[in-house]
Each structure stands twice: as structure tokens, then as C-alpha cells.
Amino acid sequence: MRTLILLLTVFFLANARAASKNKTSAEILAGAKVEDWRAVAPENTLYMELPAGRVVIELAPEFAPNTVANIKTLAREKFWDGLFIVRAQDNYVVQWGDPDAEKPEKKRRAKGVKDTLVPEFDHAMASTIPFTALPDKDVYAKETGFSRGFAAGRDAGAKKTWLIHCYSAVGVGRDVAADSGNGAELYAVIGNAPRHLDRNVTIVGRVLHGMELLSTLPRGRGALGFYEKPEERIPIKSIRVAADVPEKERVALEVLRTDTRLFKELVSARRHRQEEWFHFQAGHVDACNMNVPVRVKN
Amino acid sequence: MRTLILLLTVFFLANARAASKNKTSAEILAGAKVEDWRAVAPENTLYMELPAGRVVIELAPEFAPNTVANIKTLAREKFWDGLFIVRAQDNYVVQWGDPDAEKPEKKRRAKGVKDTLVPEFDHAMASTIPFTALPDKDVYAKETGFSRGFAAGRDAGAKKTWLIHCYSAVGVGRDVAADSGNGAELYAVIGNAPRHLDRNVTIVGRVLHGMELLSTLPRGRGALGFYEKPEERIPIKSIRVAADVPEKERVALEVLRTDTRLFKELVSARRHRQEEWFHFQAGHVDACNMNVPVRVKN
């Protein structure tokens, strides 16, 4: 009888096919060495504590230094503690922050936090930022690839690079003015990559762990998926910089390095799937379909 | 004070900017005429009744005639009634069917249903199937566009066309053998478009309504997101062909036609966003980022 394992995915593949010249993604990952992984720095990690558990976000200060600094100040001033997830729009974003931010008399403020920020929608290309380009063309960017685990776009002519809106990317909500986002309102992508937002928003990182705590939230019934009733909002217990959390309460995560030979092999295996389930080879991969592996360190 | 309407989306845009030569998507849709919409045929519609409500799926018999016929027989034999949603894998798929399909002695069968089917992973291009091509290159297919509201790929050289894996696409689970999917196990995409599955699976339609009933389901903790305990599975009350449901219990849905001048204007407005929130113009659109509008008929 046929089994019901219907769609093979890489990470849980139970019966990786016999070793061959062309390895499957699972086989490549199984052969990864310690140095193919990197530890996530606690100073660049946020823990969002929700009633259902912890969401772990890795920040990307190289791409958005000023915004990341402001966000860390907000966390250290406990700005979000007692605030809410205010929006969940299907196939789009979940967003959190101050539901009263529009009301001057009620709006929450925090010491040392800048109210506006020069936008960091893109960043000058720098030789200090590694970039592993993907071989395939992209619909939106001249070039896409990965910088330290983050999916990024690049325009070598304009000497610009930027993080792109893949699933689990975390961006800064803003009003019409480009400088109106200060990091107090953040969102995470919970649907198909909304790439039209690229370079219109400062992306500050991505969710590494606990994504399902956001993606399964009830969708808001209001315009843009905002919750209509205050009681529908999901309370945020706290958001902390992981470095400020006692070491024994931290979760030690590792992200597969994206500047290695092994990662390039993984890209190749994602373009040309070696699992016998595949009858047709795409021969291509979209950056937002790479899903850079994350693991809890043993 | 800045408002917190942070990411403008087309369909709920409260304050569409003043009319200008270049219209926003909201303005284009507001000007749609009756004939720009098409009613969804009850004979090509499935209602999946879950404890939380109804999921409406439009079938695509032109692309998968034999599989759609088998699925309708399964529905008419009440095959799924009392079966379950068995899998929810984050950023991938939700899947339903018979949890005992692997056990010959327990496996559920239905009269007149074929156990294997010649795969309908792609289809001969036919002049009878309209195709509105998108102007942008695609990462995976030679060409992408829309056929009667469904996102599709095309290879004019090979004279083949196929439905593509966008958010909400419904596909047929199968084992390693290409002919092993008969429609009894179905899945819906709940994450970023898994385009590597294109032409490896028979896609039979898409969810038009109630998508959030699937996308918010708790994720399974087992391999591939399967629920580990039987009690975690979500019971399916019934799956029916809408034509078999009393007319007063149906929901009258309309889908924006994708073979019109208005749809082409909408494509243009998605490539070049006219809302003043956008500071950078993508100038491109991915087929899976078009989100063909659906409405409940008044």
C-alpha cells in the first residue's frame, strides 16, 4: 500500500536515499561539521515572551545599525512589556507594538529612544559583509543571496544591498513618511514573501525559533487584519535582549553558515532535488525558498 | 502623530489617494464592472466543513480533468466525512485525508474511485484555456500568468501549461510513484510558495474562502508536521460538491476575471504601486504575489 508521506521535505526525511554522487539536502546537512554552523550572538537576539511561549528573533545590525540600536534600547527600557500583538493578516504579517501609538495622550514612550530614524531600507555594499549569491535570476532584485544567514538582495551597479521580505523576516512598521518608523512597531512575515515591500521598510532581522506562535494566531477581522476588540489582542509579557537574560534561561541557537562550501552544495541540492520523490527538476531556487537551517545547540 | 497603519495593502486601503492618471489597485477594483467578475460554478466547488467553519475550494477541471472527477466521486461517496486534517507543517502545507491509508485492513475505500491515476502534473496548452501572461520573468517557469483565476506556468516550446504552487493552492498528496495520488489525500499551501513542487504534483484548485481556518491550525509536532496523537487531528465533518448542497446553504463567491483589460491594469498597479506609502517601486510582480481578488456576491 502506498504510504502517506506525501511531500518530502529535507529536514525530516526519514529514509534519505542511498549515498550517491549527488547528495540530498538531508545528506549534506548530516555531513555538516561544527564549523559549518555559527552560534547566534545573545547581544543580537530578542526574546519575545508570549503566553504561548518564546519567539526568538535574530537582529541584523550590519544592515540596520541605527534601527537595531533603537530596538535594543526599547527592549532595555521594557517598552513592549504589557503591550500587544495588534494585527494578524492572513498571508501577510503579524504586527506588535503600542495600540495607542496614535493617541498622543496615551502613547507610550521610553527613555533614550529616537522618535524618527533615517530610514535603513538599504545599505551600502561593503566588503565586510559576506554575500553568497544565488545562481538564479530573481523576479524583484538584480541579484539575491545570503549574508550571514539573512536573505538579501543586491544591486552591484548601485552598490546597494538590502534584506528581503521572506517568510519570518522582521520589519519596522511605519507611516507614509520614510523616517516615521523607529522600531517600536514591528512585524513578522507569515505568508508568501511580500517582496514589493523590499526597500520600502527597514528589515531588522528574522524569527529563528517559535515562528508558529505567530503564524497560527487568529487573524484579525478589522481592516489590514487589525484586531477589532482590545480583548482579541495577544499580550506581550516581555521583549528582552537575550544578553540581558540569565544564561540558563537562554536558548542556544545555531544557524547554518551561508558563506561556506557546504551551503553552496545545499543551494545546488535545492535546485536539483535528488530525493527520488521528485520526477521533475525545477533547476532553480528562489531565495525565499532556501530556508536557512536553524538548530538548538546540544 | 503618526498613524499606525503601517503596511498599506490594496484591498482595505482606507484613503485611496486622489485620482490620478495612474490608479492604485483599490481604485481599479472600485471601478470594476459586473462583467469583470465571474461566478464560481457550484459543480466545480468543494465545501470542506470543519468544526470552525467552512473552507471553499474552487476546482480546476481544465488542468486536471481525471483527478477532479475522482475527487468529486470521493466527495459524493462521502469519503472524507469523519476523516481528519492529519498534518500542519509551518510555512508549508496543511493536509487532510485518511490517517489509516497505509494500513490495508483499515484503509477507507469508496465506490467508483480509482486507486491510481495517470498524473496530471502538467497539461497540453490549449487555445480553449485563456492565459494572461505576466510581463516579468519568473524564477521557476519560462512564463507565468493566470488562467481563469488560477496562477499558472507555461512553456510554449514544450506546449505545456500547469498550475503553480502559490499560497492557498490545493494539491494531491502522493507517494514516490507518480501515479500514486488519487485525490483522497489533499493539501493546501499555507506558507511561502513551494514552487519546487510544481510539475511534481497534480494541483486541482485553490482555496477561495476560509483559508485562515487552515493557516491558523496548530502545527503538528511529528516529522513533516504530522500530528503525533490522534486527538490532535482536526475532524472533517464533511466535504461536499457545492452543487449537491441546498442552494440556500451555499456561499455565492465571485473571482475577479483574469482575462480582462481591468486585470491587466491591476497587474500594472501591482508592479508600480501608486499608493503614496511606497517610496521604492519594485517594477515587477511575482505571480504568487498577485492574489486574485475573491468576493462574496451581494
Side-chain angles (χ1 to χ4, degrees):
Chain A
M1 286 301 110
R2 68 171 180 282
T3 71
L4 288 171
I5 302 300
L6 303 148
L7 298 165
L8 304 181
T9 48
V10 164
F11 305 106
F12 302 98
L13 192 55
N15 299 305
R17 86 194 279 215
S20 72
K21 203 175 62 178
N22 296 314
K23 290 180 185 164
T24 66
S25 300
E27 288 163 347
I28 291 166
L29 281 176
K33 298 197 167 61
V34 171
E35 57 267 29
D36 286 313
W37 297 85
R38 90 180 145 77
V40 180
E43 188 59 35
N44 292 331
T45 304
L46 292 182
Y47 291 161
M48 174 159 61
E49 307 291 351
L50 299 176
R54 177 182 284 176
V55 177
V56 182
I57 296 164
E58 183 177 18
L59 299 168
E62 283 180 306
F63 284 85
N66 299 322
T67 312
V68 166
N70 222 38
I71 286 170
K72 285 162 72 172
T73 303
L74 284 157
R76 285 175 165 146
E77 291 295 321
K78 305 184 177 173
F79 174 81
W80 287 288
D81 300 15
L83 292 181
F84 301 92
I85 294 176
V86 293
R87 175 187 182 193
Q89 184 174 357
D90 199 57
N91 192 22
Y92 207 44
V93 297
V94 158
Q95 184 182 309
W96 57 94
D98 182 359
D100 293 318
E102 292 180 83
K103 300 170 190 159
E105 74 286 3
K106 285 182 127 187
K107 186 189 170 185
R108 192 150 167 169
R109 293 165 200 283
K111 201 172 64 180
V113 171
K114 293 184 178 118
D115 226 36
T116 60
L117 282 177
V118 175
E120 297 176 301
F121 299 164
D122 52 26
H123 193 278
M125 271 171 61
S127 58
T128 51
I129 305 180
F131 185 86
T132 302
L134 289 179
D136 297 303
K137 297 267 185 222
D138 179 73
V139 177
Y140 291 88
K142 290 240 165 89
E143 197 176 26
T144 54
F146 289 87
S147 291
R148 298 199 206 283
F150 297 102
R154 206 160 76 153
D155 181 340
K159 293 191 167 52
K160 293 282 186 187
T161 184
W162 58 91
L163 299 185
I164 65 175
H165 279 84
C166 295
Y167 189 84
S168 82
V170 175
V172 171
R174 66 163 172 85
D175 196 1
V176 169
D179 68 354
S180 58
N182 73 342
E185 311 298 315
L186 295 171
Y187 64 85
V189 173
I190 61 159
N192 192 66
R195 298 284 309 278
H196 57 288
L197 300 176
D198 291 358
R199 308 183 81 176
N200 279 295
V201 159
T202 302
I203 297 184
V204 293
R206 71 164 176 136
V207 177
L208 295 186
H209 200 69
M211 192 55 211
E212 71 281 4
L213 301 181
L214 302 178
S215 60
T216 62
L217 289 175
R219 306 320 191 213
R221 300 275 166 192
L224 299 162
F226 279 89
Y227 294 118
E228 287 182 320
K229 296 175 191 164
E231 61 269 28
E232 293 174 320
R233 296 171 187 150
I234 290 87
I236 297 170
K237 290 192 200 170
S238 66
I239 297 184
R240 293 282 178 276
V241 179
D244 301 344
V245 170
E247 207 167 328
K248 66 178 194 320
E249 294 170 24
R250 296 182 202 161
V251 53
L253 294 180
E254 294 190 323
V255 177
L256 194 75
R257 282 180 57 175
T258 52
D259 58 349
T260 58
R261 195 169 65 88
L262 185 119
F263 184 73
K264 284 187 178 164
E265 284 172 23
L266 190 63
V267 169
S268 175
R270 301 283 282 180
R271 299 174 78 232
H272 307 281
R273 305 266 175 159
Q274 298 301 316
E275 298 86 358
E276 64 177 331
W277 185 88
F278 286 91
H279 294 269
F280 178 82
Q281 284 298 329
H284 303 283
V285 69
D286 186 288
C288 290
N289 230 342
M290 271 302 300
N291 301 325
V292 177
V294 177
R295 68 178 184 184
V296 179
K297 194 182 170 182
N298 296 319
Chain B
M1 287 299 110
R2 68 173 180 283
T3 72
L4 288 171
I5 302 301
L6 304 150
L7 299 165
L8 303 181
T9 48
V10 163
F11 306 104
F12 303 97
L13 192 56
N15 300 305
R17 86 194 276 218
S20 71
K21 202 173 64 178
N22 296 313
K23 289 181 187 166
T24 66
S25 299
E27 289 164 347
I28 291 166
L29 279 176
K33 297 195 167 61
V34 170
E35 57 268 29
D36 287 313
W37 296 86
R38 89 179 147 78
V40 180
E43 188 60 33
N44 291 331
T45 304
L46 292 182
Y47 292 161
M48 174 160 59
E49 307 289 352
L50 299 176
R54 177 182 284 176
V55 177
V56 182
I57 296 165
E58 182 177 19
L59 298 168
E62 282 179 306
F63 284 84
N66 299 323
T67 313
V68 165
N70 223 37
I71 286 170
K72 285 162 73 171
T73 303
L74 284 158
R76 285 174 164 146
E77 290 295 321
K78 305 185 178 172
F79 174 81
W80 288 287
D81 299 16
L83 292 181
F84 301 91
I85 294 176
V86 293
R87 175 187 183 194
Q89 184 173 357
D90 199 56
N91 192 22
Y92 207 43
V93 298
V94 158
Q95 184 183 308
W96 57 94
D98 181 1
D100 293 318
E102 292 179 82
K103 300 171 189 158
E105 74 286 3
K106 286 182 122 185
K107 186 188 170 184
R108 192 150 169 170
R109 295 165 198 282
K111 201 172 62 179
V113 171
K114 292 183 179 119
D115 226 34
T116 61
L117 281 177
V118 175
E120 297 176 300
F121 299 164
D122 52 26
H123 194 277
M125 272 171 61
S127 58
T128 50
I129 304 180
F131 184 87
T132 302
L134 290 178
D136 296 302
K137 296 267 184 223
D138 178 73
V139 178
Y140 291 87
K142 291 240 165 89
E143 196 176 26
T144 54
F146 289 86
S147 290
R148 297 199 208 282
F150 296 101
R154 207 162 73 154
D155 181 340
K159 294 191 167 51
K160 293 281 186 188
T161 184
W162 57 91
L163 299 186
I164 66 174
H165 279 85
C166 296
Y167 189 85
S168 82
V170 176
V172 170
R174 66 163 170 86
D175 196 1
V176 169
D179 68 353
S180 59
N182 74 341
E185 311 298 314
L186 295 171
Y187 64 86
V189 173
I190 61 160
N192 192 67
R195 297 285 309 279
H196 57 288
L197 300 176
D198 292 358
R199 307 183 80 176
N200 280 295
V201 158
T202 302
I203 296 183
V204 293
R206 72 164 176 135
V207 177
L208 295 185
H209 199 70
M211 192 54 212
E212 70 282 3
L213 301 181
L214 302 178
S215 60
T216 61
L217 289 176
R219 305 323 191 212
R221 299 276 165 189
L224 299 161
F226 279 88
Y227 294 118
E228 288 182 320
K229 297 173 189 163
E231 61 268 27
E232 293 173 321
R233 297 171 186 149
I234 290 86
I236 297 169
K237 290 192 200 170
S238 66
I239 297 185
R240 293 281 178 277
V241 179
D244 301 344
V245 170
E247 207 166 330
K248 66 178 193 319
E249 293 170 26
R250 296 183 202 160
V251 52
L253 294 180
E254 293 189 325
V255 177
L256 194 75
R257 282 179 58 175
T258 52
D259 58 348
T260 58
R261 195 169 64 89
L262 185 118
F263 184 72
K264 284 187 177 165
E265 285 173 23
L266 191 63
V267 169
S268 175
R270 300 282 283 180
R271 300 174 78 233
H272 306 282
R273 305 267 174 158
Q274 299 301 317
E275 298 86 357
E276 63 177 334
W277 185 86
F278 286 91
H279 294 268
F280 178 82
Q281 284 297 330
H284 303 284
V285 71
D286 186 287
C288 291
N289 231 341
M290 272 301 300
N291 302 325
V292 177
V294 178
R295 69 178 183 184
V296 179
K297 193 180 172 183
N298 295 320

